[in-house]
Amino acid sequence: MIDDVAPKLVWEALMSNPDAVLCDVRTTAEWHFVGMPDLSQTGKPIIPVQWQVFPTMQPNPEFLDQLKEAGVEVTHHIYFLCRTGGRSLAAAHAARDAGYRHVYNIKDGFEGPHDQRGHRGNVAGWKHQGLPWSHR
């Protein structure tokens, strides 16, 4: 089972655990047009590795290789992030199955579910929690 971790707890882990990393598995379009977490206060980079490749949204056959190339070790505590938590959960499962020992899904992702008006970012998720983010 993969644990869902609230965004604020992820932030605390990134600040306090030298082995904690954040892997953003959204698409290049989401990174550029929606924004990304800003980890500058943690002194750590975001690890952007698409789970699905834009624009076809086909699974990224290089996902695990790119994770390794980004310097992610099997001993790291990896917090996976997507828009709402679905793709990041799938990525966490793939990483765990590949031997990564400490994998987590960021609950509600970067934007969370739709609100009553059909907009994201107002109900739950990284942005709603007031955690640092910026446009890339």
Side-chain angles (χ1 to χ4, degrees):
M1 181 165 173
I2 305 292
D3 289 335
D4 277 331
V5 181
K8 285 195 176 184
L9 294 177
V10 172
W11 180 257
E12 291 172 13
L14 291 167
M15 292 292 284
S16 65
N17 181 350
D19 291 330
V21 297
L22 189 152
C23 180
D24 190 331
V25 301
R26 295 174 300 146
T27 65
T28 55
E30 290 171 297
W31 299 332
H32 291 288
F33 297 113
V34 179
M36 294 182 81
D38 178 355
L39 301 186
S40 58
Q41 291 178 41
T42 70
K44 298 176 181 179
I46 291 178
I47 299 166
V49 181
Q50 295 181 97
W51 176 247
Q52 294 172 301
V53 180
F54 183 82
T56 65
M57 300 308 284
Q58 295 298 312
N60 179 1
E62 305 297 320
F63 177 77
L64 292 169
D65 291 335
Q66 290 172 356
L67 196 62
K68 186 176 181 180
E69 289 168 10
V72 180
E73 303 286 336
V74 295
T75 55
H76 281 133
H77 290 250
I78 312 165
Y79 295 88
F80 289 96
L81 176 78
C82 70
R83 181 178 60 194
T84 61
R87 287 174 287 171
S88 52
L89 181 59
H93 279 287
R96 185 194 60 202
D97 292 348
Y100 289 89
R101 296 183 213 138
H102 310 286
V103 297
Y104 310 93
N105 185 47
I106 300 178
K107 182 176 172 49
D108 297 314
F110 189 62
E111 297 181 88
H114 290 109
D115 64 14
Q116 292 176 341
R117 295 176 296 151
H119 299 138
R120 295 188 189 276
N122 298 319
V123 176
W126 187 275
K127 288 171 81 175
H128 175 72
Q129 293 292 306
L131 296 169
W133 69 278
S134 66
H135 282 95
R136 192 168 184 189

